[in-house]
Amino acid sequence: MSNETLTITDNRTGRTYEIAVEHETIRALDLRQIKVQEDDFGLMSYDPGYVNTASCKSSITFIDGARGVLEYRGYPIEQVAENGSFLETAYLVIHGALPNREQLDEWTAAIRQHMYLHENFKALINGFRHDAHLMGVFVSAAAALSTFYPDAKQIHDPQARRRSIHRLIAKVPILAAYAYRHSMGMPYVEPDPELSYAGNFLRMLFMRNEARYKPNPVLERALDILFILHADHEQNCSTSTMRLVGSSHADPFCALAAAAAALYGPLHGGANEAVLRMLREIGSKDNIPGYIERVKKGEFRLMGFGHRVYKNYDPRARIIKRTADEVFEVTGRNPLLDIAIELERIALEDEYFVKRKLYPNVDFYSGIIYQAMGFPVEMFPVLFAIGRTVGWLAQWQELLTDKEQRIGRPRQIYLGARGREWVPIEKR
Ligand code: CMC
C-alpha cells in the first residue's frame, strides 16, 4: 500500500489495520473488518446529522465553508450571479459546462415548450383551502405531477430523464403561481414564454387586468439572481432527500416532492420565512439587545444565522445584501431592513456569535427582499424550491449515472430491549 493510508490499532484486541485514504476520506466499509470476535458485525461509524460523512462523489457544487467560497461547476458564485441568467445557470449546473449561444437557445426552447400545466391541475389546486400553506400545496402538486407523466419512471433512459428535467424546471414556477393565485382568489394566468423565466413567473403571480404584463426589470433581475443563488448547495437536507428517494428509483417528480418537503422545515428552506416573522416580532431596533440576550440564554435561535457548512460569511448573503439595495430603490425602503442590519451588526460583535462562528446565511436578507417585492411569507420557501429544483435534478442525475451508488440505507446502533415475551392486553 502507498503511504496514503491510516493505521488503526484496536486497543480491545491489540490488532492493527491499514486503511486506504483517498480524497481525505476513508471508506466506512473498510472499518467493518475491525472485529473482536470473528462473528461480530464489525466496526461502524456513528454520525447523527451526517456531519462528517460523505455520501457521494460529486462534481456539481464546491463549498469551502471556512473561507466562504461557493462554486457551481468550478465557477465562483459571484461571477455566476453577476453574469449569468437563471436558465444559463441551470444549464451549467445540470450539464457541467457553460452553454454556447446555440445550446442556450435550444435549452431555453426545450423548457418553454413545457411551460403549461394539464387543465386538471386547476381542479387539483382548487381543492386546497384558501389558507393552505403554499409550501404544502407545492409539495403535494409536485408529487401529483408524477401521475401526469408516467414516462418519468424510465429513469435509466437518458431521453426520458432529459424530458423530466425540462418538465420540472418549466412547471415548478407554474405550480407555485397557481398555488399563490388560488390563495388570493385570483384567476390563474397562463405563462408567456416570450418573457424571461423570472419575468414570466412575476406575470403569472401578479398580473391583474393589464393587456400585456411588463415585469419591472430591476425586480425581474433580482428574482433571477435569487434563483441563481439558490440553484444548488451540495448535500444539504433536501438534496440528500432527493438522492435518498431517487436511490430507490422513484420517479423524479416524487423524489422532488420529498426534497421540497425537507426544504419546508424552519431549519432549512423555511428559515427565510422564520427570519421575517422574527424581525416583525423584534419590531424596533431598541428591542434587539433584549432579543439577543434571549437567544444567548438558549430560548430560541437567531433565524438566518449560522450554517452547518459556512463558518464564515455566507457568500450568497453578501450578494443578496447588494441586490436588496437595488430592489429597495424601486419598492421603497423596508423598515425591517434597518432592524436586520442592526441585528447583524450587534450579533457580529457579540462573543456568543463570534465564538461559534455564526454569520448571516442566505436566508437572512432574502425574506426582506421577497417581502418588498410583494410576496407573502408563505411563498418564501416556495421561491427557494423553484431555484433549488435545478440542483435537485442535477444531483439526481449524477446519482443515477454513478455506478458506485446503491439504494440509501443507513445503519443504526440498536439500544432497545431484546427478546421480550408478548403479554396479553388484560395482563399489562
Ligand atoms: N442562533 C443561536 N445559536 C445558534 C444558531 C443560531 N441561529 N445556530 C447555531 N447556534 C449555536 C448552537 O446553539 C450551538 O451552541 P452550543 O455549542 O452552545 O450548543 C452552536 O451554535 C452550534 O450549533 P449546531 O446546532 O451544532 O449547528 P448545526 O450545524 O447543527 O446547525 C443550522 C446549523 C443552520 C441548523 C443552525 O445554525 C440554525 O438552526 N440556524 C437557524 C436556522 C437557519 O437560519 N437556517 C438556514 C440555513 S441556510 C439555508 C439552508 O441551507 O437551508
Side-chain angles (χ1 to χ4, degrees):
M1 253 189 200
S2 73
N3 59 1
E4 291 289 298
T5 62
L6 185 74
T7 302
I8 301 177
T9 302
D10 186 346
N11 294 324
R12 298 170 304 171
T13 59
R15 257 182 253 145
T16 292
Y17 303 83
E18 201 174 350
I19 289 179
V21 175
E22 196 188 1
H23 309 301
E24 294 286 294
T25 311
I26 59 162
R27 284 193 174 254
L29 215 50
D30 283 349
L31 298 174
R32 199 66 90 60
Q33 59 185 305
I34 304 178
K35 299 177 176 185
V36 176
Q37 308 288 344
E38 208 31 57
D39 59 351
D40 280 354
F41 183 76
L43 207 66
M44 294 190 298
S45 63
Y46 175 56
D47 188 9
Y50 309 120
V51 281
N52 200 37
T53 295
S55 63
C56 62
K57 293 175 182 163
S58 182
S59 313
I60 301 172
T61 293
F62 172 80
I63 302 177
D64 181 338
R67 294 191 178 82
V69 174
L70 168 62
E71 295 173 1
Y72 292 161
R73 301 285 189 178
Y75 294 96
I77 190 66
E78 293 79 5
Q79 288 186 33
V80 180
E82 174 83 31
N83 303 300
S85 70
F86 177 65
L87 284 184
E88 203 175 3
T89 306
Y91 184 100
L92 169 70
V93 171
I94 290 190
H95 296 87
L98 285 170
N100 60 28
R101 172 62 55 202
E102 198 186 334
Q103 287 165 327
L104 182 59
D105 289 348
E106 264 176 35
W107 169 248
T108 307
I111 289 169
R112 281 185 179 158
Q113 196 198 328
H114 291 287
M115 277 197 177
Y116 66 91
L117 286 180
H118 192 286
E119 271 302 296
N120 290 4
F121 244 91
K122 293 182 178 156
L124 184 100
I125 304 284
N126 288 343
F128 286 96
R129 284 172 55 121
H130 72 92
D131 57 354
H133 194 289
L134 297 172
M135 195 59 174
V137 179
F138 181 86
V139 169
S140 316
L145 265 184
S146 145
T147 65
F148 289 80
Y149 302 107
D151 61 323
K153 288 187 183 23
Q154 295 158 25
I155 54 157
H156 297 298
D157 173 359
Q159 296 274 17
R161 273 207 306 270
R162 205 166 311 134
R163 249 191 331 270
S164 292
I165 289 173
H166 294 155
R167 280 183 176 139
L168 271 159
I169 295 175
K171 293 178 196 301
V172 288
I174 314 180
L175 290 181
Y178 275 22
Y180 170 76
R181 300 283 293 198
H182 173 64
S183 73
M184 301 294 287
M186 290 165 85
Y188 303 125
V189 176
E190 295 308 321
D192 177 354
E194 292 305 307
L195 293 175
S196 73
Y197 192 82
N200 176 54
F201 183 50
L202 288 170
R203 167 195 150 91
M204 286 189 293
L205 290 163
F206 298 130
M207 184 168 173
R208 286 175 185 265
N209 49 5
E210 305 92 330
R212 187 92 213 261
Y213 179 86
K214 278 188 87 178
N216 178 298
V218 174
L219 303 187
E220 182 182 4
R221 178 64 186 143
L223 191 58
D224 210 52
I225 290 176
L226 285 156
F227 286 154
I228 291 172
L229 297 181
H230 285 95
D232 194 50
H233 213 236
E234 53 119 306
Q235 309 311 315
N236 51 74
C237 180
S238 58
T239 303
S240 298
T241 303
M242 182 84 190
R243 280 181 172 262
L244 194 58
V245 178
S247 79
S248 76
H249 294 176
D251 74 62
F253 295 90
C254 285
L256 188 131
L263 187 73
Y264 193 176
L267 296 189
H268 191 10
N272 49 19
E273 184 179 342
V275 170
L276 212 84
R277 293 189 198 285
M278 173 187 80
L279 294 175
R280 282 191 189 138
E281 191 190 325
I282 295 174
S284 93
K285 287 203 249 181
D286 300 341
N287 297 332
I288 294 175
Y291 195 86
I292 289 200
E293 278 318 304
R294 292 177 66 194
V295 169
K296 284 158 64 176
K297 277 195 215 139
E299 282 184 42
F300 38 72
R301 291 189 165 195
L302 197 57
M303 298 315 286
F305 258 72
H307 200 275
R308 171 60 60 78
V309 181
Y310 293 118
K311 301 301 170 197
N312 198 323
Y313 212 96
D314 181 339
R316 300 168 299 173
R318 197 168 277 126
I319 299 167
I320 285 187
K321 212 169 160 183
R322 225 178 29 235
T323 308
D325 292 334
E326 288 157 21
V327 168
F328 291 133
E329 277 190 21
V330 176
T331 62
R333 201 171 168 83
N334 185 330
L336 294 182
L337 181 68
D338 297 326
I339 301 177
I341 289 173
E342 182 64 4
L343 188 61
E344 177 187 337
R345 190 189 65 75
I346 295 181
L348 289 182
E349 285 173 358
D350 192 294
E351 163 77 8
Y352 175 95
F353 295 89
V354 173
K355 205 171 107 204
R356 289 171 181 76
K357 298 193 166 72
L358 298 169
Y359 293 88
N361 59 48
V362 68
D363 287 325
F364 192 65
Y365 287 104
S366 63
I368 311 172
I369 303 183
Y370 292 146
Q371 199 216 20
M373 288 172 76
F375 292 106
V377 282
E378 290 79 15
M379 195 70 185
F380 297 177
V382 176
L383 297 167
F384 193 154
I386 294 173
R388 186 55 57 84
T389 289
V390 162
W392 289 331
L393 291 168
Q395 301 271 351
W396 168 75
Q397 177 156 266
E398 191 176 65
L399 162 99
L400 292 175
T401 50
D402 178 349
K403 295 208 166 29
E404 278 197 310
Q405 287 294 330
R406 305 158 71 178
I407 183 165
R409 204 307 183 186
R411 294 280 176 178
Q412 64 167 5
I413 303 171
Y414 180 70
L415 299 175
R418 294 282 322 279
R420 296 162 105 181
E421 280 291 327
W422 181 264
V423 181
I425 196 157
E426 51 289 349
K427 295 203 176 149
R428 284 175 218 159

